[in-house]
């Protein structure tokens, strides 16, 4: 049976079937009814003369013994699962020309050919280019195996690292974990602060803070660590007691060096080591918290609780500052120390002072330009009648002041606990105008205007600073 007309080269396709191989040089495989010459399997097993002129359904030549084939999973010329090496598991590749016949005279299966063509075919030991092509396939297989081995090793090493890191962090990050040694417990407390884990840090405080706990959050901790990180933590002290320990901790908060004593205690072995408080209470009542921001977080309370760390105070605008121009940071050095916010009292920035003066001067200039008996929103006014009883004529008045420029030398200050600034202003205003006397005659009048206040107030807590008297 001739399945290869025209003497075309054959090669395996990706389904294990034998198809013409357009990429190989044409070679002759002999006549359709002629057995390939001198072919033996790699296991040195002789192949029977097959398909010499027989047709399907007819007995073929028989050499006196049942023909034996390599099992699919024991293919002697390659792995059963490698499409580039030998036949595939569970599938026989068709032979060159005809089916084989067993000793019962029944048609068995198609004779397998070695991969890459039969004897004398492309890639075969006796074919053209077989040596080079076989060498190339071998090199490719070795390369694939090496890449796979390297990839597997890389995966296993990194998985082990990940597992190791994950196990370490999960143990320390567990807020319910019980640590047996007081120094290790204190280290875990600092680890929680550094990693922004507020819940874990709070587990080490035995009593509740009196300040607002609203700011004992991961957000505030992480902001503190970003602005003024805790670092270089060293802990020492006697840890022999099962129920109490006084430990010395040295660390840095930003550029600030800290040495503090932490008194740790527990009820007995197996219970949690704790300190009195895990956070400090901070009084902000003198700071004016209407616009206060701590590490970028808006604060709306007069007393709050904060973890150890460095906290930068900011008003959120260009008019108010906390502390000096060079330092607006408050350090909570440890949970038990007194934290003073006195040095961070709010004050006007240079821009705030100038804005105050500009607003006051602009308002006074506007008031002096008024002709009313009572100018709107102004710190002075004219009496409605003269001492002689003449009635002042509305819109006939003119105001002047020789003290207008005194505002330039004023020193505005914020009222305690507010965002409102004020300064004393000496104000003297003269007024001239018209009046009608008891006889009905219009007369000229003059005198001093009455003042209603010498402390102009500018509120810097609003989106746009506003002036009132």
């Amino acid at each position: 049976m001739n399945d290869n007309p025209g003497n075309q080269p054959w090669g395996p396709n990706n389904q294990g079937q034998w198809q013409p191989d357009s990429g190989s040089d044409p070679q002759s495989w002999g006549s359709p009814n002629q057995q390939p010459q001198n072919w033996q399997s790699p296991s040195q097993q002789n192949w029977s003369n097959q398909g010499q002129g027989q047709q399907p359904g007819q007995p073929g030549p028989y050499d006196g013994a049942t023909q034996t084939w390599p099992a699919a999973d024991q293919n002697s010329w390659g792995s059963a699962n490698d499409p580039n090496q030998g036949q595939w598991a569970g599938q026989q590749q068709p032979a060159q020309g005809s089916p084989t016949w067993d000793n019962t005279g029944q048609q068995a299966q198609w004779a397998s050919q070695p991969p890459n063509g039969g004897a004398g075919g492309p890639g075969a030991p006796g074919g053209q280019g077989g040596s080079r092509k076989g060498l190339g396939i071998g090199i490719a297989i070795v390369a694939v195996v090496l890449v796979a081995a390297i990839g597997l090793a890389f995966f296993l090493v990194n998985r082990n690292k990940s597992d190791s890191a994950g196990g370490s962090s999960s143990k320390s990050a567990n807020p319910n974990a019980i640590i047996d040694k007081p120094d290790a417990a204190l280290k875990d407390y600092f680890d929680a602060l550094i990693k922004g884990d507020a819940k874990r840090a709070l587990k080490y405080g035995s009593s509740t803070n009196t300040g607002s706990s609203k700011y004992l959050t991961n957000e505030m901790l992480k902001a503190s660590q970003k602005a003024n990180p805790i670092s270089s933590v060293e802990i020492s002290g006697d840890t022999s007691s099962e129920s109490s320990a006084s430990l010395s901790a040295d660390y840095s908060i930003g550029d600030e060096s800290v040495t503090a004593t932490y008194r740790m205690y527990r009820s007995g072995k197996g219970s949690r080591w704790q300190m009195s408080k895990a956070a400090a209470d901070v009084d902000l009542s003198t700071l004016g918290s209407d616009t206060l921001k701590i590490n970028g977080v808006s604060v709306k309370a007069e007393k709050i609780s904060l973890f150890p760390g460095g906290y930068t105070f900011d008003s959120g605008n260009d008019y108010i500052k906390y502390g000096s121009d060079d330092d607006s940071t408050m350090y909570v050095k440890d949970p038990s120390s007194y934290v003073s916010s006195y040095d961070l009292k709010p004050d006007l920035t240079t821009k705030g002072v100038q804005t105050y003066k500009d607003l006051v001067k602009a308002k006074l200039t506007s008031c002096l330009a008024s002709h009313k008996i009572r100018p709107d929103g102004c710190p002075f006014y004219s009496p409605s009648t003269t001492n002689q009883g003449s009635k002042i004529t509305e819109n006939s008045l003119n105001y002047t002041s020789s003290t207008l420029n005194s505002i330039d030398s004023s020193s505005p200050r914020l009222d305690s606990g507010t965002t409102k600034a004020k300064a004393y202003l000496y104000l003297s205003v003269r007024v001239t105008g018209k009046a009608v006397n008891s006889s009905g005659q219009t007369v000229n009048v003059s005198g001093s205007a009455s003042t209603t206040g010498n402390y102009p107030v500018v509120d810097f807590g609003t989106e746009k600073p506003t002036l009132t008297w």
Side-chain angles (χ1 to χ4, degrees):
M1 182 175 180
N2 188 356
D3 289 332
N4 185 13
N7 293 328
Q8 298 182 32
W10 292 76
N13 63 12
N14 57 6
Q15 285 81 32
Q17 303 299 320
W18 295 90
Q19 301 291 340
D21 186 353
S22 60
S24 304
D25 294 334
Q27 298 186 28
S28 174
W29 287 61
S31 68
N33 297 320
Q34 183 175 4
Q35 174 183 342
Q37 298 296 316
N38 300 323
W39 167 253
Q40 288 184 334
S41 71
S43 59
Q44 304 301 315
Q45 180 177 357
N46 290 330
W47 296 49
S48 62
N49 294 331
Q50 303 170 18
Q52 295 184 1
Q54 74 270 27
Q55 298 298 324
Q58 298 178 353
Y62 176 58
D63 61 358
T66 301
Q67 185 163 342
T68 304
W69 295 84
D73 57 349
Q74 297 177 350
N75 193 319
S76 58
W77 60 71
S79 169
N81 295 321
D82 189 342
N84 294 320
Q85 302 184 30
Q87 66 187 36
W88 292 16
Q91 182 178 3
Q92 296 292 338
Q93 298 170 349
Q96 171 65 28
S98 60
T100 60
W101 305 82
D102 60 17
N103 58 1
T104 63
Q106 301 297 318
Q107 182 177 351
Q109 58 183 1
W110 291 87
S112 296
Q113 291 286 352
N116 301 320
Q128 297 179 359
S131 165
R132 286 185 297 174
K133 194 164 186 178
L135 178 60
I137 291 174
I139 292 174
I141 292 171
V142 172
V144 169
V145 171
L146 286 176
V147 170
I150 293 171
L152 178 60
F154 181 84
F155 168 79
L156 292 176
V157 168
N158 281 275
R159 185 181 68 175
N160 291 337
K161 288 183 178 179
S162 175
D163 291 345
S164 175
S168 175
S169 62
S170 63
K171 180 178 179 181
S172 63
N174 181 6
N176 296 316
I178 302 298
I179 298 176
D180 188 56
K181 290 295 185 180
D183 55 344
L186 186 56
K187 287 179 181 178
D188 188 60
Y189 169 74
F190 278 102
D191 182 69
L193 299 181
I194 292 170
K195 292 181 179 177
D197 191 341
K199 184 176 181 180
R200 177 156 56 109
L202 284 172
K203 290 287 184 180
Y204 289 98
S206 62
S207 57
T208 305
N209 290 83
T210 58
S212 171
S213 61
K214 181 179 179 181
Y215 306 99
L216 297 175
T217 63
N218 293 349
E219 178 188 17
M220 183 67 86
L221 261 181
K222 290 176 181 178
S224 175
Q225 283 300 301
K226 183 177 181 180
N228 300 281
I230 296 175
S231 61
S232 306
V233 180
E234 297 290 340
I235 297 172
S236 60
D238 185 2
T239 61
S240 60
S241 173
E242 291 290 344
S243 58
S244 65
S246 181
L247 303 176
S248 177
D250 296 288
Y251 47 95
S252 296
I253 302 176
D255 296 329
E256 190 84 359
S257 297
V258 179
T259 298
T261 299
Y262 285 79
R263 291 178 173 83
M264 310 288 288
Y265 59 89
R266 65 178 179 177
S267 59
K269 187 173 179 62
S271 60
R272 181 183 301 277
W273 286 99
Q274 291 182 305
M275 61 193 82
S276 176
K277 293 181 180 180
D281 293 317
V282 183
D283 186 358
L284 304 176
S285 59
T286 62
L287 299 186
S289 59
D290 290 345
T291 62
L292 176 61
K293 289 187 176 182
I294 300 179
N295 287 347
V297 180
S298 295
V299 175
K300 300 289 184 181
E302 292 188 350
K303 191 174 185 180
I304 66 173
S305 298
L306 292 173
F307 289 115
Y311 298 89
T312 301
F313 283 50
D314 179 32
S315 67
N317 62 47
D318 297 330
Y319 310 110
I320 298 176
K321 64 182 179 182
Y322 291 91
S324 65
D325 290 333
D326 298 329
D327 189 4
S328 60
T329 300
M330 179 184 72
Y331 292 95
V332 178
K333 296 184 178 182
D334 67 85
S336 61
S337 64
Y338 170 74
V339 182
S340 174
S341 60
Y342 179 80
D343 294 337
L344 291 171
K345 291 179 64 175
D347 200 359
L348 293 178
T349 63
T350 300
K351 182 177 181 179
V353 170
Q354 190 59 51
T355 299
Y356 176 91
K357 294 178 179 181
D358 291 343
L359 288 174
V360 172
K361 186 178 287 188
K363 183 62 177 178
L364 283 176
T365 300
S366 174
C367 290
L368 291 173
S370 176
H371 301 290
K372 294 182 177 181
I373 294 175
R374 284 185 173 272
D376 296 332
C378 296
F380 56 83
Y381 64 92
S382 170
S384 58
T385 60
T386 66
N387 293 337
Q388 292 78 25
S390 298
K391 186 176 182 180
I392 304 296
T393 303
E394 184 70 57
N395 295 322
S396 69
L397 303 180
N398 293 295
Y399 296 96
T400 60
S401 176
S402 60
T403 60
L404 179 61
N405 292 329
S406 66
I407 187 63
D408 293 331
S409 59
S410 65
S411 300
R413 294 286 185 269
L414 290 171
D415 279 344
S416 178
T418 73
T419 57
K420 297 177 180 179
K422 66 181 181 180
Y424 174 77
L425 176 64
Y426 172 71
L427 186 61
S428 175
V429 178
R430 294 288 296 173
V431 59
T432 61
K434 303 291 184 179
V436 177
N437 62 19
S438 58
S439 301
Q441 295 175 323
T442 299
V443 296
N444 293 325
V445 294
S446 64
S448 295
S450 299
T451 58
T452 58
N454 297 98
Y455 290 92
V457 177
V458 176
D459 188 356
F460 290 100
T462 57
E463 183 176 353
K464 183 178 181 181
T466 56
L467 170 68
T468 57
W469 292 87

